[in-house]
């Protein structure tokens, strides 16, 4: 059996809800059914939105649900020096540049190019500061997607071809275990994305890739809402010479109105006093069969571990 290191990486902006429990359960089942490790990482880089209290509730909820993790919990808020070092490595190669644009500047530049669309509430960055700040003060650091894609050497491309993704001149192509063949033109659709934010916080893309790399994560199992971030993360993995994990993006749990369940929209916390019921809902959302009646949490989990490979095969 090949080495398997999985992880669950919640942002502690609130307790686990039915949707985040699906990601926790699925990543745990995938790891355990492979005899692998399952790590827990608290993604608390966005300090104004996160709280230690929420993080501790999440740990207690996972324990109540029998989802035991391996080793120490990694807290992103302790990792600033490491993120700084990772950014410096890109700065040295001119793959990161300072940006002085405000949102309003970005909107104006997009409008001037006849591109006004917003993408999932994000503006594709039109590259205004790529060649210099033009006297503006630096606010954020961005990844030079265009330069990286242009200079991606064919030898690296060969190496990437055998992995889970392939970078050609324009597109990042990758295989998702559930969604199949995916591709994205990052330079056009997203642009040069943020690594270090104007408010001084580390960007999710940078922190997640550095940590998955440092923790030796081989398999990322998470909600489908994050699938769109994967090509950006693959570019950073390639830039830092990190191996790309396999990816499995899970079906999203929707509220009655069809919206994705989210803490921002006040999705209720799972009821940890009835862990079996919460787990049964999460398992049903994943399309797994119901555990036999009167199972304990441990028995139900063992039942789903055994069932898992029939529903979510590990290839590619
Ligand atoms: N921290 C992210 C979230 O809670 C998940 C990151 C990931 O799994 O890559 O949405």
């Amino acid at each position: 059996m090949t080495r398997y290191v999985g992880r669950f990486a919640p942002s502690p902006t609130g307790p686990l809800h039915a949707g985040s429990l699906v990601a926790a359960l699925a990543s745990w089942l995938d790891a355990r059914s492979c005899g692998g490790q399952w790590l827990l990482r608290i993604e608390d880089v966005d300090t104004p939105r996160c709280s230690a209290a929420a993080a501790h509730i999440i740990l207690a909820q996972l324990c109540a649900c029998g989802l035991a993790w391996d080793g120490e919990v990694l807290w992103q808020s302790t990792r600033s020096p490491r993120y700084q070092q990772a950014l410096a490595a890109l700065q040295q190669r001119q793959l990161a540049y300072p940006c002085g644009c405000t949102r309003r500047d970005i909107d104006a530049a997009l409008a001037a190019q006849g591109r006004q669309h917003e993408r999932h509430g994000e503006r594709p960055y039109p590259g205004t500061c790529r060649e210099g700040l033009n006297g503006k003060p630096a606010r954020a650091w961005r990844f030079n997607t265009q330069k990286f894609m242009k200079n991606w050497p064919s030898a690296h491309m060969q190496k990437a071809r055998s992995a889970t993704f392939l970078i050609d001149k324009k597109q990042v192509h990758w295989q998702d275990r559930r969604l199949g063949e995916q591709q994205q033109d990052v330079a056009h659709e997203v642009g040069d994305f943020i690594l270090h934010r104007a408010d001084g916080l580390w960007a999710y893309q940078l922190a997640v890739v550095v940590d998955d790399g440092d923790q030796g994560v081989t398999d990322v199992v998470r909600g489908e809402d994050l699938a769109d971030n994967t090509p950006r993360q693959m570019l950073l993995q390639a830039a830092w010479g990190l191996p790309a994990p396999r990816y499995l993006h899970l079906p999203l749990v929707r509220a009655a109105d069809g919206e994705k369940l989210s803490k921002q929209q006040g999705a209720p916390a799972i009821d940890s006093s009835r862990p079996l019921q919460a787990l049964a809902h999460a398992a049903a959302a994943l399309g797994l069969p119901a555990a036999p009646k009167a199972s304990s949490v441990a028995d139900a989990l063992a039942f789903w571990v055994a069932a898992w490979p029939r529903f979510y095969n590990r290839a590619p």
Side-chain angles (χ1 to χ4, degrees), residues 162-299:
S162 60
T164 43
F165 72 103
L166 166 73
I167 299 172
D168 68 21
K169 284 280 168 271
K170 272 196 168 309
Q171 306 279 343
V172 177
H173 302 263
W174 57 286
Q175 280 287 335
D176 183 84
R177 287 169 53 194
R178 176 174 152 265
L179 302 172
E181 184 84 37
Q182 304 287 304
Q183 65 177 56
Q184 190 180 79
D185 179 342
V186 182
H188 181 75
E189 292 174 43
V190 185
D192 296 342
F193 53 90
I194 300 242
L195 299 167
H196 193 239
R197 295 167 26 169
D199 56 10
L201 300 175
W202 293 104
Y204 157 66
Q205 311 294 350
L206 177 140
V208 85
V209 172
V210 170
D211 289 347
D212 282 340
D214 285 357
Q215 294 190 288
V217 169
T218 61
D219 287 81
V220 171
V221 178
R222 62 186 179 189
E224 194 178 316
D225 54 324
L226 292 166
D228 186 61
N229 293 278
T230 309
R232 270 170 276 177
Q233 295 173 13
M234 289 172 158
L235 291 182
L236 290 178
Q237 286 154 4
W240 282 313
L242 297 168
R246 278 173 293 264
Y247 287 89
L248 165 57
H249 286 93
L250 303 160
L252 288 187
V253 179
R254 303 206 172 267
D257 60 4
E259 282 295 304
K260 178 202 157 206
L261 279 188
S262 74
K263 289 168 232 174
Q264 288 86 338
Q265 274 144 37
I270 56 160
D271 180 356
S272 318
S273 67
R274 304 176 75 186
L276 197 51
Q277 196 183 53
L279 287 167
H281 275 130
L286 289 164
L288 295 172
K293 280 209 168 23
S295 303
S296 62
V297 165
D299 290 346

Side-chain angles (χ1 to χ4, degrees), residues 1 4 28-36 304-309 312:
M1 192 174 284
Y4 182 110
W28 188 89
L29 291 173
D30 203 48
R32 295 302 181 228
S33 71
C34 290
W304 289 316
V305 166
W308 182 256
Y312 291 92

Side-chain angles (χ1 to χ4, degrees), residues 30-198:
D30 203 48
R32 295 302 181 228
S33 71
C34 290
Q37 280 185 292
W38 188 66
L39 309 179
L40 180 60
R41 183 166 77 227
I42 298 291
E43 299 213 320
D44 55 351
V45 268
D46 191 348
T47 35
R49 290 180 55 235
C50 296
S51 81
H56 285 105
I57 294 172
I58 292 174
L59 303 191
Q61 288 173 310
L62 292 172
C63 289
C65 290
L67 302 177
W69 57 89
D70 296 307
E72 300 271 306
V73 177
L74 186 72
W75 297 76
Q76 286 193 327
S77 55
T78 64
R79 304 257 303 150
S80 233
R82 176 68 185 101
Y83 301 148
Q84 187 63 58
Q85 196 185 40
L87 175 61
L90 298 179
Q91 289 166 335
Q92 273 155 22
R93 293 158 63 200
Q94 273 91 51
L95 285 175
Y97 64 84
C99 171
C101 294
T102 60
R103 274 164 195 254
R104 192 183 286 191
D105 296 334
I106 297 173
D107 284 344
L110 286 173
Q113 293 180 1
R115 296 173 68 194
Q116 256 161 329
H117 79 282
E118 280 209 2
R119 184 174 166 280
H120 310 312
E122 269 178 62
R123 295 149 178 80
Y125 184 64
T128 320
C129 296
R130 195 182 296 128
E131 306 305 334
L133 284 162
N134 291 315
K136 287 186 288 189
R139 290 165 50 81
W141 283 86
R142 292 183 181 272
F143 182 68
N144 197 334
T145 307
Q146 201 185 58
K147 179 171 176 185
F148 183 73
M149 298 291 280
K150 209 158 55 203
N151 296 343
W152 179 251
S154 50
H156 285 228
M157 183 160 144
Q158 278 317 113
K159 201 164 131 226
R161 200 186 288 276
S162 60
T164 43
F165 72 103
L166 166 73
I167 299 172
D168 68 21
K169 284 280 168 271
K170 272 196 168 309
Q171 306 279 343
V172 177
H173 302 263
W174 57 286
Q175 280 287 335
D176 183 84
R177 287 169 53 194
R178 176 174 152 265
L179 302 172
E181 184 84 37
Q182 304 287 304
Q183 65 177 56
Q184 190 180 79
D185 179 342
V186 182
H188 181 75
E189 292 174 43
V190 185
D192 296 342
F193 53 90
I194 300 242
L195 299 167
H196 193 239
R197 295 167 26 169

